[in-house]
Amino acid sequence: YTVKFDWQTELRRAEQAALAAGALLKDTIAGEKKVLAEPGRDIKLQADRDAEAVVLEALAGSAFEVLAEESGESEGLDPSKPFWIVDPLDGTFNFSRKLPFCAVSIALATVDTPLLGVVYDFNRGDLYSGAVGHGAWLNGAPMRVSQITETGRAVLTAGFPVNFVYEDASLIEFAKMARSFRKLRMFGSAALSLAYVAAGLADAGKPRCAACRVCATGASAHALTRAPRRPRAAPPAAATRPTPPRSRPRSSPPLSRCWRVRCVHFRYRRR
């Protein structure tokens, strides 16, 4: 699918939406959480809905429809055309327990192709963004994936989705896959896990049954790794934090595509 649009304008729009929602979430993570539902291993908070409302308001000026985690499909959504995919709070359970591994994730995509995306780690003030064919950035500076090639030296990020079946066969299959890596890290946020891969902080991502909320990071990873520095969207008042040192680039060629984030399968769910 070929679509023409002003990617810089839409990326800035997504960044501003993520920063605004992140500012709200950062202000509320330490306080009491209103639980709306706890189905199975999942949890839904009022914070999810509040952050989504902020994102939807920021995206209201866009010509593209929205598919959101909490409110579902917007009226008149045509899956044959590009649309926004919003997870206002990826890592809700972490958020509910004050674990600082959660993020706002926003992407513009077609049904099977990410176009651009943003992941905002509001606990650390890190904004990961990317546009396919144009570049990928961390806080406005170009970011690169790791260049480690051997799984025996690589750090794998992974996780189990809410609907994962904890049966012996499934767990054994996962263990066989993971044991070939040097280290395994499970953060409880698919978006952050893949953002770390896109930035070279980890070397490989294996999100099991990853849903549309990881698309924002997938877009960053699809993007060219050599990109000019670009200005970061203006954050809300009192939302800036110092940028931590970025990882030093390595000299080896890229890891096999079967493990690279750029090959993450994209799925979405109609509600």
Side-chain angles (χ1 to χ4, degrees):
Y1 185 95
T2 301
V3 57
K4 295 182 179 179
F5 64 98
D6 186 341
W7 70 269
Q8 291 176 312
T9 296
E10 298 302 334
L11 186 58
R12 282 195 298 270
R13 192 190 309 275
E15 288 176 336
Q16 291 165 356
L19 288 169
L24 181 149
L25 292 168
K26 181 182 174 183
D27 288 341
T28 57
I29 188 171
E32 294 296 321
K33 315 297 191 305
K34 181 179 180 180
V35 178
L36 302 178
E38 294 186 82
R41 298 178 185 271
D42 201 4
I43 187 171
K44 294 294 181 183
L45 302 177
Q46 182 63 41
D48 290 85
R49 294 186 179 180
D50 293 343
E52 183 177 285
V54 172
V55 173
L56 295 180
E57 181 179 359
L59 296 180
S62 174
F64 301 110
E65 299 293 337
V66 180
L67 180 65
E69 175 81 5
E70 303 306 315
S71 57
E73 182 178 319
S74 65
E75 184 177 354
L77 177 67
D78 183 352
S80 68
K81 298 179 181 179
F83 51 90
W84 291 105
I85 303 167
V86 175
D87 187 347
L89 179 52
D90 183 58
T92 302
F93 190 84
N94 284 353
F95 184 89
S96 73
R97 300 293 293 270
K98 303 179 184 179
L99 293 170
F101 293 98
C102 34
V104 181
S105 178
I106 304 172
L108 183 66
T110 63
V111 170
D112 57 0
T113 304
L115 301 173
L116 59 83
V118 172
V119 172
Y120 181 43
D121 179 354
F122 52 86
N123 288 295
R124 297 167 185 80
D126 284 337
L127 184 69
Y128 303 82
S129 58
V132 175
H134 299 285
W137 302 270
L138 170 55
N139 298 326
M143 64 179 178
R144 300 190 55 144
V145 294
S146 164
Q147 296 181 13
I148 286 180
T149 58
E150 303 85 10
T151 55
R153 296 179 55 224
V155 176
L156 170 68
T157 65
F160 299 133
V162 171
N163 60 353
F164 180 76
V165 179
Y166 289 82
E167 296 180 344
D168 290 349
S170 300
L171 294 171
I172 289 172
E173 178 187 1
F174 177 80
K176 287 180 178 179
M177 179 274 298
R179 69 185 180 188
S180 61
F181 287 83
R182 183 176 185 178
K183 291 290 184 180
L184 169 66
R185 293 292 179 262
M186 304 176 76
F187 300 106
S189 167
L192 276 186
S193 294
L194 295 180
Y196 295 157
V197 178
L201 304 178
D203 308 304
K206 187 64 174 177
R208 299 184 62 90
C209 301
C212 60
R213 61 181 180 271
V214 305
C215 178
T217 316
S220 295
H222 274 76
L224 298 176
T225 55
R226 294 181 180 178
R229 188 178 185 90
R230 59 183 295 276
R232 170 173 168 163
T240 57
R241 302 191 76 177
T243 303
R246 289 182 290 132
S247 59
R248 185 171 58 189
R250 301 176 177 87
S251 57
S252 305
L255 194 68
S256 170
R257 285 191 175 187
C258 65
W259 297 112
R260 190 59 69 208
V261 179
R262 65 173 72 98
C263 294
V264 169
H265 294 292
F266 173 79
R267 301 185 181 94
Y268 84 103
R269 178 179 48 174
R270 292 177 68 98
R271 296 186 177 207

